[in-house]
Each structure stands twice: as structure tokens, then as C-alpha cells.
């Protein structure tokens, strides 16, 4: 599996005050240190550090399955997560996550959605990718459904 953080150009756009998926400016906030994951560096935003709350739609097309929701990114420039075969801090910070597979048309492949612990995630992702219909997998918060990251097949 290959974990994809949000693209740097998109995050820099928001950090410069650019509009989010709803056409609004990012909302600034200060981390309380209790689990505010940046979707770019995929680290938890430290207590006292600034972050931005934005609406994001992690799909290319507008269609019924193209969910849009809130997420956090560091207010200051951070380095995009590079996948080196281990789960990033943000995907180890919760007891469980929702993962679900999507087809090339960006629509959910029913039957792939499941709640997993961080330890279970790699094996379940590998299992989902045995289905050739699956183009990618989203990792979301199991409690709030917020988008965390995208997983692609290993290149």
C-alpha cells in the first residue's frame, strides 16, 4: 500500500488564505494537542501550534459519492508525508479508522467499508486491493468520518 497525503500545492494554497471546497477562507485555530492530525505532514499538530480548518472534497468529479467535509492542516508550512512503508503518526493516533475502497469512477465499492485498528489496517488494505475493481482506498475517522488520507496500490 502507498499512503498519499494531500498535495503540497493545495495545502500551500490554503496556507496562503486561498478558498476551500466551499469557497471560504480557511478558519484558523490553535491545537489543544488532543488529536488534530494534519493531512499534509500526517503528524499530529502539537499543542499551541496553529492550524487551519478547511472543507475538502478528495475527489476529482462532482457526483453523489464525492463527500466533502472538514479537515485540518498545519497553519505554517510543513513537509508532505512520504510513504516509507510505515503508518504515519496521524494513522496511529486513533484506536480505529474507517477504510473503504473506490472504483476508477470515484464511487464506493460496496462491501469494502470496514472499521480497522492501525495494526489491522495494512492486512485489510491488502485484502481490499485483491479486488481488481478497487482503484484506491480512503482512510477516514471512524468516529467523525473526516477524511485522513488516500491509499493507492504500491507503485
Amino acid at each position: 500500500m502507498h499512503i498519499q497525503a494531500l498535495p503540497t500545492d493545495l495545502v500551500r494554497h490554503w496556507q496562503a488564505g486561498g478558498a476551500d471546497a466551499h469557497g471560504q477562507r480557511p478558519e484558523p485555530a490553535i491545537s489543544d494537542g488532543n488529536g488534530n492530525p494534519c493531512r499534509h505532514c500526517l503528524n499530529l499538530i502539537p499543542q499551541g501550534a496553529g492550524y487551519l480548518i478547511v472543507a475538502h472534497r478528495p475527489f476529482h468529479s462532482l457526483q453523489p459519492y464525492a463527500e466533502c467535509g472538514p479537515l485540518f492542516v498545519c497553519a505554517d508550512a510543513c513537509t508532505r508525508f512520504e510513504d516509507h512503508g510505515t503508518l504515519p503518526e496521524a494513522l496511529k493516533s486513533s484506536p480505529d479508522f474507517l477504510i473503504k475502497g473506490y472504483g476508477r469512477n470515484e464511487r464506493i465499492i460496496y462491501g469494502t467499508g470496514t472499521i480497522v485498528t492501525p495494526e489491522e489496517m495494512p492486512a485489510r488494505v491488502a485484502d481490499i486491493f485483491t479486488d481488481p475493481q478497487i482503484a484506491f482506498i480512503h482512510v477516514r475517522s471512524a468516529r467523525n468520518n473526516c477524511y485522513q488520507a488516500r491509499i493507492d496500490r504500491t507503485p
Side-chain angles (χ1 to χ4, degrees):
M1 71 179 189
H2 184 70
I3 299 169
Q4 297 283 336
L6 290 180
T8 299
D9 59 342
L10 176 61
V11 174
R12 296 293 182 261
H13 166 78
W14 293 329
Q15 289 168 333
D20 67 10
H22 291 311
Q24 299 174 323
R25 294 177 59 84
E27 181 179 310
I30 302 296
S31 176
D32 61 7
N34 288 322
N36 305 117
C38 174
R39 284 16 177 247
H40 181 251
C41 64
L42 295 181
N43 288 317
L44 296 179
I45 301 164
Q47 182 175 0
Y51 68 97
L52 304 173
I53 306 168
V54 298
H56 180 60
R57 180 179 41 86
F59 299 90
H60 293 101
S61 62
L62 286 175
Q63 40 87 6
Y65 292 90
E67 298 169 272
C68 183
L71 57 78
F72 311 136
V73 294
C74 293
D76 296 323
C78 60
T79 301
R80 185 177 190 227
F81 171 78
E82 289 188 35
D83 189 345
H84 297 289
T86 60
L87 286 180
E89 179 184 34
L91 298 186
K92 294 187 283 188
S93 65
S94 180
D96 48 19
F97 293 92
L98 167 63
I99 59 173
K100 53 187 167 178
Y102 291 81
R104 285 172 195 76
N105 63 356
E106 298 189 321
R107 293 175 183 253
I108 296 168
I109 302 294
Y110 285 99
T112 61
T114 187
I115 305 293
V116 296
T117 65
E119 296 78 22
E120 296 167 331
M121 191 180 303
R124 185 64 184 121
V125 164
D127 183 52
I128 292 171
F129 275 138
T130 62
D131 182 339
Q133 296 181 86
I134 305 299
F136 61 90
I137 294 170
H138 277 180
V139 181
R140 292 180 171 267
S141 163
R143 288 169 175 68
N144 299 307
N145 197 38
C146 298
Y147 174 83
Q148 302 291 317
R150 174 178 162 143
I151 300 176
D152 292 306
R153 295 176 190 276
T154 301

